Amino acid sequence: MSQQSHFSLSFFYAFISLLFIHHVLASTSTTPQVQTFNTKPDIINPKLPPRTLSSSKKFEGSSDLVHLRYHMGPVLSSTPINIYLIWYGRWANSQKLLIKDFLYSISPTTVAAKPSVSEWWRTVSLYTDQTGANVSRSILIAGEYTDSAYSHGTGLTRLTIQQVIASAVKSAPFPVDHKNGIYLILTSQDVTMQDFCRAVCGFHYFTFPSMVGYTLPYAWVGNSGKQCPEVCAYPFAVPGYMGGGGPGALKSPNGDVGVDGMISVIGHELAELSSNPLVNAWYAGEDPTAPTEIGDLCEGLYGTGGGGGYIGQVMRDRQGKTFNMNGRRGRKFLVQWIWSPELKACSGPNALD
């Protein structure tokens, strides 16, 4: 609790007079004044139109409404978790670097400014398996595979995405890592996917041995930049019925609406894939074919005070870029919060309470 200082009235009036005289002299002086800037970002909590996808899975922090349970399956507790990236379609090197910077920020070699991506992942690492082993806090990009020839076409389904994985693991430098690995398939903005934009922005599951040869946990996320940014790059774009669509009031932190939007979806899917890799570990609900997972519970929430059309209190820098966490090499990201098993509420590193 802060303490208040007490002044006599005479001292107070003298002090105010001095301030007034100083202000008059400063305003009439012809000498240029040195202006100092507050380098701390502004805190904002904008009210935006809701995403066009269903919000039925959103919960704002009541443990009375959420019954997240452990179903005895494994979590990704290996150290490190090996991520194998599959770049499907045409990707600019700058886009690849942005996504990899986010992944490397989960377990950086140098500490990033707070609030940080690694602090955000700490919530994910609170989830354990039946042996008490936690989700690993160590992430490694163990391999990359690029399919710029669209070898399985520009229109994919949930089954053909497994063929994309099979093609990748059959390539000589890309191993099958069914013990410590997860496979992250990222499709470029000209690739369509079954249910993309209509019902999903990303999803995770595991491969069928009949198609790939092994059971491998994987996640898919698409670049919505030209297909549905108002759905999957929200809140950097808003629905068409609000102001004609296109980029919304929030400026993306890295200048690429599609990829900046992907970052949050990638975070969402990685958190769920790590805590529920075979869809038999951590989720709410009784139907394992449609589980409500730790990312679903906090969809659309990015800061304190979120809900009811508000995304929560986030930061805006001097360039107007909106973010809620910092990463390596000075990167900034806007990533949704995750359900905390300790707080029994949505949680993020930029929480103000």
Side-chain angles (χ1 to χ4, degrees), residues 27-320:
S27 62
T28 57
S29 173
T30 58
T31 304
Q33 300 295 308
V34 177
Q35 187 172 10
T36 58
F37 291 94
N38 180 6
T39 58
K40 292 184 178 180
D42 296 329
I43 303 295
I44 60 172
N45 186 6
K47 186 171 185 178
L48 298 172
R51 289 176 56 190
T52 53
L53 291 184
S54 170
S55 61
S56 61
K57 288 185 176 181
K58 290 182 183 176
F59 297 86
E60 295 168 19
S62 172
S63 58
D64 295 330
L65 296 177
V66 178
H67 300 286
L68 186 73
R69 294 193 299 117
Y70 176 57
H71 296 79
M72 305 306 290
V75 300
L76 296 181
S77 58
S78 65
T79 302
I81 299 171
N82 292 328
I83 296 182
Y84 297 92
L85 288 172
I86 300 175
W87 304 97
Y88 191 86
R90 294 189 178 94
W91 288 89
N93 287 333
S94 60
Q95 294 176 319
K96 289 183 176 182
L97 183 59
L98 174 55
I99 290 172
K100 288 192 288 185
D101 274 345
F102 171 70
L103 297 174
Y104 281 128
S105 296
I106 292 174
S107 50
T109 54
T110 58
V111 178
K114 293 184 178 183
S116 68
V117 175
S118 60
E119 291 176 311
W120 170 82
W121 188 260
R122 186 176 299 152
T123 298
V124 183
S125 71
L126 295 174
Y127 289 88
T128 62
D129 63 15
Q130 57 185 311
T131 71
N134 292 76
V135 170
S136 176
R137 293 192 62 183
S138 178
I139 299 287
L140 175 68
I141 297 177
E144 296 181 63
Y145 175 83
T146 299
D147 187 345
S148 57
Y150 305 88
S151 62
H152 296 275
T154 57
L156 301 177
T157 67
R158 290 175 182 258
L159 282 180
T160 58
I161 202 72
Q162 297 203 25
Q163 295 173 358
V164 172
I165 300 171
S167 296
V169 299
K170 288 175 183 176
S171 67
F174 211 72
V176 170
D177 187 353
H178 58 88
K179 290 185 178 180
N180 303 321
I182 58 176
Y183 296 78
L184 180 57
I185 305 94
L186 305 172
T187 52
S188 56
Q189 61 186 2
D190 54 346
V191 176
T192 61
M193 166 62 75
Q194 176 185 354
D195 295 328
F196 187 31
C197 298
R198 184 186 65 82
V200 297
C201 299
F203 60 79
H204 75 91
Y205 206 58
F206 52 85
T207 61
F208 304 142
S210 60
M211 297 192 70
V212 181
Y214 297 88
T215 299
L216 304 173
Y218 74 89
W220 162 83
V221 179
N223 185 338
S224 67
K226 289 191 175 179
Q227 296 184 53
C228 58
E230 73 283 356
V231 176
C232 295
Y234 177 93
F236 306 128
V238 296
Y241 59 83
M242 294 295 293
L250 302 190
K251 187 176 181 181
S252 67
N254 299 286
D256 189 323
V257 167
V259 177
D260 275 319
M262 286 184 75
I263 296 294
S264 188
V265 183
I266 289 171
H268 175 121
E269 297 302 333
L270 284 182
E272 294 182 344
L273 186 60
S274 298
S275 58
N276 196 29
L278 301 180
V279 200
N280 61 356
W282 289 95
Y283 63 87
E286 300 302 323
D287 185 1
T289 64
T292 299
E293 300 173 279
I294 66 172
D296 299 325
L297 293 170
C298 303
E299 184 181 335
L301 299 178
Y302 300 85
T304 302
Y310 291 90
I311 68 169
Q313 294 181 332
V314 296
M315 293 168 282
R316 184 171 57 197
D317 67 13
R318 288 171 54 191
Q319 287 76 42

